[in-house]
């Protein structure tokens, strides 16, 4: 897996003061007795103008396959 920063790197470098999300699943990290759970971001946030932002603005829950 190629990435610039792992959840463990982010938690350790910031001493746990980080909000972390990755495009791929990351393991939880324990630091000083506290478990930090990494979030996974998706394309709605990474590419908002493509599909995510319009769906979000229209409050759609499920995009239709008929759109393609």
């Amino acid at each position: 897996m190629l990435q610039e920063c792992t959840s463990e790197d982010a938690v350790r470098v910031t001493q746990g003061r980080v909000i972390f999300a990755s495009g791929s699943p990351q393991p939880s990290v324990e630091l000083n007795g506290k478990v930090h759970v990494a979030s996974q971001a998706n394309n709605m946030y990474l590419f908002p103008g493509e599909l995510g932002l319009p769906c979000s603005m229209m409050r759609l829950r499920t995009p239709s396959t008929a759109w393609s």
Side-chain angles (χ1 to χ4, degrees):
M1 174 176 11
L2 296 175
Q3 56 200 13
E4 293 182 22
C5 176
T6 65
S7 58
E8 183 172 5
D9 293 337
V11 169
R12 296 205 186 285
V13 167
T14 65
Q15 299 176 357
R17 296 182 312 262
V18 65
I19 297 174
F20 183 88
S22 173
S24 56
Q26 296 280 312
S28 297
V29 178
E30 185 176 343
L31 180 70
N32 299 329
K34 182 176 179 184
V35 176
H36 300 265
V37 179
S39 296
Q40 188 171 347
N42 64 29
N43 289 346
M44 178 176 160
Y45 301 110
L46 301 178
F47 304 105
E50 302 280 329
L51 180 63
L53 182 60
C55 288
S56 176
M57 291 176 69
M58 293 186 290
R59 299 180 190 264
L60 296 176
R61 292 185 173 259
T62 307
S64 171
T65 57
W67 298 351
S68 54

